[in-house]
């Protein structure tokens, strides 16, 4: 099956394969207007609008990959740093330095990432730019460190909810703000804090996974 697909991909352009795939429906001249949810915050449908006629329709769907386009949002930098003719910030090879001294750039707005334009590569170049900023400041004696003054810890009085939820340092799983404070100050073990919202899809997915991990650590 994989070999056959590779052969077809080599012979036919991707557009041909998409147009002739019975599992794919194309909506031409159409834009997404809104996302509808009818089941505990989960996506259920998409509101579409025909660009040429203005006609609106509802498409049932449970997932959406949203393309934000390939035009870099670099208008605010026009006339300040050198830009590529396509709008990307020009940086020196193997660096994040721009045409202006002390101005460093990263992410998918730069020529360093305009070829791939992926979130993970943009994040990587952004991290490189942040580290380059630190090195630039240190190298030019511009880095100033600020330290928070030492303050005495304010002891919070227990409330009824704290007493009810309690805290047992021998247990792997505890619940509540009081237990979190106690675990932070008294427990030598690694602390994993789980915050969830009832309408958050990723929360519902990760919560049982983290619970299984905690149970596994306990055993």
């Amino acid at each position: 099956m994989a070999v056959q697909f590779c052969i077809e991909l080599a012979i036919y352009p991707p557009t041909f394969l998409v147009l002739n795939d019975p599992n794919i429906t194309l909506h031409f001249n159409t834009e997404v207007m809104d996302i509808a949810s009818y089941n505990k915050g989960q996506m259920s449908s998409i509101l579409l609008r025909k660009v040429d006629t203005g006609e609106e329709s509802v498409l049932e769907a449970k997932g959406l990959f949203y393309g934000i386009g390939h035009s870099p949002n670099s208008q605010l930098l026009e006339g300040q740093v050198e830009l590529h003719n396509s709008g990307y910030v020009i940086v020196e090879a193997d660096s994040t330095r721009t045409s202006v001294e002390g101005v460093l750039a990263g992410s998918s707005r730069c020529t360093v990432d305009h070829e791939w334009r992926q979130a993970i590569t943009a994040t990587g170049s952004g991290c490189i730019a942040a580290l380059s900023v630190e090195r630039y400041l240190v190298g030019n004696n511009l880095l100033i460190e600020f330290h928070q003054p030492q303050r005495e810890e304010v002891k919070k009085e227990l409330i009824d909810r704290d007493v009810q939820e309690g805290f047992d340092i021998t247990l792997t799983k505890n619940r509540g703000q009081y237990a979190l404070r106690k675990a932070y100050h008294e427990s030598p073990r690694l602390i994993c804090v789980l915050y969830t919202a009832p309408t958050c899809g990723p929360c519902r997915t990760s919560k049982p996974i983290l619970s299984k991990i905690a149970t596994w650590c306990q055993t």
Side-chain angles (χ1 to χ4, degrees):
M1 186 68 180
V3 175
Q4 179 65 27
F5 175 77
C6 292
I7 294 175
E8 292 179 354
L9 191 61
I11 298 176
Y12 303 106
T15 304
F16 176 85
L17 298 177
V18 170
L19 291 173
N20 291 272
D21 192 324
N23 296 320
I24 298 177
T25 301
L26 297 178
H27 298 266
F28 295 100
N29 300 319
T30 305
E31 62 179 349
V32 176
M33 301 300 294
D34 199 0
I35 306 297
S37 172
Y38 302 108
N39 183 21
K40 297 181 180 180
Q42 294 183 348
M43 174 181 168
S44 57
S45 60
I46 304 173
L47 177 62
L48 304 176
R49 186 179 75 89
K50 287 286 186 180
V51 178
D52 48 356
T53 64
E55 178 185 358
E56 295 186 354
S57 61
V58 176
L59 175 66
E60 293 186 2
K62 294 183 179 180
L64 173 68
F65 291 93
Y66 199 89
I68 61 175
H70 296 299
S71 298
N73 186 19
S74 58
Q75 293 83 356
L76 61 91
L77 299 174
E78 292 180 358
Q80 302 187 67
V81 297
E82 186 178 1
L83 302 177
H84 191 267
N85 54 15
S86 56
Y88 292 95
V89 179
I90 297 178
V91 294
E92 297 180 13
D94 299 325
S95 77
T96 57
R97 292 188 295 270
T98 65
S99 59
V100 178
E101 173 69 20
V103 177
L104 307 169
S107 84
S108 54
R109 294 187 179 92
C110 305
T111 53
V112 69
D113 194 54
H114 79 288
E115 180 179 354
W116 310 111
R117 289 179 291 212
Q118 297 293 318
I120 189 169
T121 55
T123 303
S125 65
C127 177
I128 294 173
L131 294 173
S132 299
V133 168
E134 182 184 18
R135 291 185 179 182
Y136 178 86
L137 294 175
V138 172
N140 291 273
N141 296 319
L142 298 173
L143 185 64
I144 302 176
E145 294 186 357
F146 292 91
H147 300 278
Q148 293 289 343
Q150 294 292 334
R151 297 180 179 178
E152 294 184 3
E153 181 182 354
V154 178
K155 295 184 178 181
K156 297 183 179 180
E157 296 183 1
L158 294 179
I159 59 176
D160 294 339
R161 184 177 179 181
D162 293 335
V163 176
Q164 293 174 1
E165 293 178 344
F167 171 71
D168 188 342
I169 197 172
T170 62
L171 296 180
T172 301
K173 291 187 288 186
N174 284 280
R175 183 174 180 175
Q177 296 181 6
Y178 171 70
L180 175 59
R181 294 197 304 270
K182 294 285 287 184
Y184 178 80
H185 291 288
E186 299 179 11
S187 177
R189 304 169 67 181
L190 177 67
I191 299 176
C192 178
V193 182
L194 177 61
Y195 290 99
T196 60
T199 58
C200 174
C203 292
R204 288 194 298 271
T205 303
S206 61
K207 186 175 182 179
I209 297 175
L210 292 175
S211 298
K212 289 182 179 178
I213 294 175
T215 302
W216 176 78
C217 292
Q218 187 174 8
T219 57

